């Protein structure tokens, strides 16, 4: 399936999820998924920065916002998504790995998993 057709299907599913969440009472009011994801991201990044020894850098935060935008549009993010714009325009997965690599571990995979879970909850 072409990337644009895949994204169109994902956006439709996102809208259906928002309707179901409203219908079964999970959400107090019907809001677009994108709006919910943005609000959840804001809470997540503040909480995450408070728990870290140092806050995310401006460049890391910029990449986290790109990841948030992708999740809001596609319902998830995976390593393969870094092959496409806007990630590929900024040197893709290799650049992201470099930004989130610490002396003891690379945080990118755990951050993606955490964001997928937090923004979709």
């Amino acid at each position: 399936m072409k990337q644009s057709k895949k994204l169109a299907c994902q956006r439709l599913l996102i809208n259906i999820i928002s309707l179901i969440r409203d219908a079964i009472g999970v959400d107090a009011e019907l809001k677009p998924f994108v709006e919910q994801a943005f609000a959840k991201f804001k809470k997540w990044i503040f909480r995450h920065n408070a728990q870290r020894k140092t806050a995310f850098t401006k460049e890391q935060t910029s990449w986290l916002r790109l990841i948030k935008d992708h999740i809001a549009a596609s319902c998830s993010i995976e390593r393969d998504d870094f092959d496409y714009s806007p990630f590929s325009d900024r040197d893709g997965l290799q650049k992201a790995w470099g930004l989130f690599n610490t002396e003891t571990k690379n945080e990118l995979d755990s951050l993606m998993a955490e964001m997928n879970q937090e923004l979709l909850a």
Side-chain angles (χ1 to χ4, degrees):
M1 185 181 306
K2 288 185 176 182
Q3 186 70 9
S4 61
K5 189 172 184 179
K6 179 181 174 185
L7 287 175
C9 289
Q10 289 172 330
R11 285 188 187 108
L12 182 60
L13 289 173
I14 290 168
N15 291 335
I16 291 170
I17 291 168
S18 292
L19 288 171
I20 292 171
R21 289 175 60 97
D22 179 66
I24 63 174
V26 172
D27 296 327
E29 64 181 275
L30 182 60
K31 293 181 182 176
F33 174 74
V34 171
E35 185 178 310
Q36 293 176 31
F38 284 20
K40 289 176 182 181
F41 173 77
K42 186 176 180 180
K43 289 178 185 176
W44 174 82
I45 200 163
F46 283 131
R47 185 179 70 243
H48 212 280
N49 277 337
Q51 295 171 348
R52 296 169 53 96
K53 290 180 184 176
T54 59
F56 290 116
T57 66
K58 286 184 181 184
E59 190 172 20
Q60 287 173 325
T61 302
S62 176
W63 273 81
L64 291 170
R65 285 186 180 123
L66 290 174
I67 292 170
K68 176 248 321 169
D69 292 345
H70 184 84
I71 293 171
S74 304
C75 277
S76 69
I77 190 157
E78 300 173 5
R79 283 185 183 183
D80 292 346
D81 296 320
F82 287 84
D83 292 338
Y84 303 101
S85 186
F87 306 108
S88 62
D89 301 339
R90 298 178 183 195
D91 299 326
L93 188 58
Q94 293 301 316
K95 176 68 173 184
W97 270 340
L99 285 172
F100 295 100
N101 191 25
T102 65
E103 292 179 15
T104 57
K105 66 178 180 175
N106 191 308
E107 293 184 290
L108 183 62
D109 288 331
S110 61
L111 287 171
M112 286 191 312
E114 191 176 328
M115 288 179 72
N116 278 328
Q117 182 177 352
E118 289 276 333
L119 301 187
L120 295 174

